[in-house]
Amino acid sequence: MASLQSSAISLSFSSSLGRFSSASTFPQKTRIYKLPVVQSKIREIFMPALSSTMTEGKIVSWVKSEGDVLSKGEAVVVVESDKADMDVETFYDGILAAIVVNEGESAPVGAPIGLLAETEDEIAEAKAKAQGQSGGSSSGSPTTPEPVIEAQSAAGVSSDGPRKIVATPSAKKLAKQHKVDINKVNGSGPFGRITSEDVEKAAGITPAPSKSISPPPPAAPAVGTPVKAAPASLPEIPGATIVPFTTMQVAVSKNMVESLSVPTFRVGYPVITDALDALYLKVKKKGVTMTALLAKAAAMALAQHPVVNSSCKDGKSFTYNSSINIAVAVAINGGLITPVLQDADKLDLYLLSEKWKELVEKARAKQLQPHEYNSGTFTLSNLGMFGVDRFDAILPPGQGAIMAVGASKPTVVANADGFFSVKNKMLVNVTADHRIVYGADLAAFLQTFSKIVEDPECLTM
């Protein structure tokens, strides 16, 4: 039987190749088959950027627990951004092998917060990897980056296949400049983030030692010049409690400080509201709020004065916005948020009111989507409902103007003939970016707004 098989093989080669008459004359070579290496797939669940201003997020709760089987598109964790709480979904099927960032803890955008294993065999490896990452990010005792890298290497990070590179913008720019493959650079920052120093080390660049220059002796103050005393640290008040900012409060603080860099000016204007108050009484039973009426009036006025709806993003040019999106300030538990009524000039009053109620409900439940709070082109802040007669509002970054509306109160006014009467009047103050909006622009806008409010029938058309 063996000879028949040998003969058959010889005939096969001789008939197909012709040059070899027998198997003995054919050069025998041992073919080596390389079996494909099956690499374990442990994927990282990253902290997403839920808004353009978000730099870090806080884990509100994990919807899934370690060991749960996940399907693509399924919600895994709830993250608190600087504006809202949002569900984060997984992009892959797998098993939630390890949780890196626990509930109540924070992590920078792009950092791994959990590990997803493809099979049960990889869970132990994922847990070992998670221990290395969580050890480097623990808030207990400070640790150096080296143990984190060693723990990741021991967990088999290099054999996981493609991984997401987390690097600082300066590191990416430096890598491109020195032609360094950033995929091969080991990061020494938090959660393995690649820093500029890591790229310089990979490129073989030795940082120049900083020269210590002794400061010159302070010049003696001129005679009669008051000497400024060094700012003294504020004394601690006994019994005071320090409460850290929430993620939203950090964002509000950052925006308020950023707004100080914009040169602004303010213009106030009195508006008679008798006709608007009468209209409100008619439409209130249909669910229309005063906020919706004011937002609609502001949007119609902005349509006639587009420069007030513009913005200055680079300090060198106007950005005229094609849409009129009215952001309205809403106080919520633990912060402030501005839901946006998009295309407010195009929506009828009743649809605008329904949209506003929906946005307020989502804002208080911290379920607003990014486009529902970061797309405003003009902001309206109304404290009139609290009896405040006038106030100034701080201009939000990226917008050209913000309107502060006070309460409508009975006021004695004189007409053109000198006769006195009592009318309801509210004071409106607008804060604007003086780089793009000038005094005459704002005065014309307020005149138009006043005419719409004093003859508000156009609001219902």
Side-chain angles (χ1 to χ4, degrees):
M1 185 67 181
S3 61
L4 289 174
Q5 289 179 346
S6 177
S7 175
I9 295 175
S10 299
L11 289 172
S12 174
F13 278 103
S14 62
S15 61
S16 59
L17 300 177
R19 292 178 296 173
F20 304 102
S21 57
S22 64
S24 60
T25 59
F26 187 78
Q28 299 290 330
K29 290 185 178 180
T30 304
R31 180 173 295 179
I32 301 174
Y33 292 92
K34 293 184 179 180
L35 295 175
V37 178
V38 181
Q39 294 183 341
S40 61
K41 291 186 178 179
I42 299 175
R43 295 186 170 93
E44 295 174 324
I45 302 173
F46 293 96
M47 175 65 73
L50 302 178
S51 71
S52 58
T53 59
M54 178 177 170
T55 57
E56 69 173 10
K58 181 180 179 181
I59 304 297
V60 177
S61 63
W62 281 92
V63 181
K64 300 294 182 180
S65 303
E66 291 185 355
D68 288 352
V69 178
L70 307 177
S71 300
K72 181 180 178 180
E74 193 173 5
V76 182
V77 62
V78 180
V79 172
E80 177 189 1
S81 71
D82 53 358
K83 301 293 184 182
D85 293 350
M86 298 187 67
D87 293 338
V88 177
E89 302 174 350
T90 176
F91 293 101
Y92 304 98
D93 297 335
I95 303 171
L96 182 57
I99 292 175
V100 178
V101 182
N102 296 315
E103 295 181 1
E105 297 180 352
S106 300
V109 170
I113 58 177
L115 299 178
L116 194 67
E118 193 172 59
T119 64
E120 293 182 356
D121 298 336
E122 298 153 0
I123 293 179
E125 181 181 348
K127 286 184 179 294
K129 181 178 179 180
Q131 288 178 355
Q133 291 177 337
S134 61
S137 62
S138 60
S139 58
S141 58
T143 57
T144 56
E146 284 76 15
V148 177
I149 298 174
E150 291 174 3
Q152 291 176 341
S153 177
V157 176
S158 60
S159 62
D160 287 346
R163 62 185 179 93
K164 183 175 180 180
I165 300 301
V166 182
T168 62
S170 59
K172 293 179 180 179
K173 182 178 180 181
L174 204 61
K176 185 177 180 181
Q177 179 181 350
H178 294 286
K179 298 180 180 180
V180 174
D181 186 358
I182 202 166
N183 296 286
K184 298 180 180 179
V185 178
N186 291 326
S188 62
F191 300 97
R193 185 183 294 269
I194 299 172
T195 64
S196 302
E197 290 76 11
D198 299 326
V199 177
E200 290 178 347
K201 184 178 180 181
I205 301 174
T206 303
S210 58
K211 297 180 179 179
S212 58
I213 302 175
S214 57
V223 178
T225 303
V227 179
K228 292 184 178 180
S233 58
L234 297 176
E236 294 185 3
I237 300 176
T241 303
I242 298 176
V243 179
F245 281 170
T246 64
T247 308
M248 178 178 291
Q249 289 166 341
V250 169
V252 171
S253 175
K254 179 182 176 182
N255 287 341
M256 294 302 96
V257 173
E258 185 179 343
S259 68
L260 296 176
S261 63
V262 178
T264 59
F265 72 108
R266 296 165 179 84
V267 175
Y269 202 91
V271 180
I272 303 299
T273 63
D274 288 327
L276 183 68
D277 294 337
L279 176 62
Y280 175 60
L281 292 177
K282 293 180 182 179
V283 297
K284 181 179 180 180
K285 56 186 176 183
K286 297 181 180 180
V288 178
T289 63
M290 181 58 75
T291 298
L293 285 167
L294 294 172
K296 180 67 174 177
M300 294 179 65
L302 289 170
Q304 300 182 44
H305 304 276
V307 69
V308 184
N309 192 54
S310 66
S311 60
C312 179
K313 302 183 184 300
D314 57 2
K316 301 177 182 178
S317 61
F318 292 78
T319 299
Y320 284 93
N321 300 298
S322 58
S323 299
I324 297 177
N325 301 335
I326 306 296
V328 185
V330 175
I332 62 175
N333 185 23
L336 176 75
I337 196 167
T338 52
V340 178
L341 288 165
Q342 297 182 352
D343 296 319
D345 59 320
K346 299 176 183 177
L347 299 178
D348 67 73
L349 182 62
Y350 302 101
L351 185 59
L352 194 69
S353 294
E354 291 178 5
K355 184 64 177 176
W356 175 241
K357 288 181 181 179
E358 177 187 336
L359 288 171
V360 170
E361 290 176 359
K362 294 177 71 174
R364 288 175 177 162
K366 302 184 74 174
Q367 294 298 320
L368 287 173
Q369 298 299 310
H371 70 277
E372 294 176 323
Y373 58 74
N374 63 10
S375 58
T377 60
F378 180 90
T379 297
L380 174 68
S381 181
N382 180 16
L383 291 181
M385 62 189 74
F386 301 107
V388 176
D389 59 353
R390 70 179 72 188
F391 69 101
D392 289 330
I394 298 177
L395 182 67
Q399 295 185 17
I402 179 173
M403 176 185 286
V405 180
S408 177
K409 295 183 176 181
T411 307
V412 177
V413 296
N415 60 17
D417 298 326
F419 293 99
F420 291 94
S421 62
V422 177
K423 294 183 179 294
N424 291 329
K425 183 172 70 173
M426 71 179 181
L427 297 177
V428 175
N429 289 341
V430 178
T431 303
D433 185 344
H434 213 334
R435 296 174 298 177
I436 53 175
V437 182
Y438 304 144
D441 299 324
L442 211 52
F445 163 75
L446 286 169
Q447 287 178 344
T448 302
F449 176 79
S450 177
K451 290 178 180 178
I452 294 172
V453 170
E454 293 175 5
D455 186 14
E457 293 301 323
C458 60
L459 297 177
T460 59
M461 297 179 181

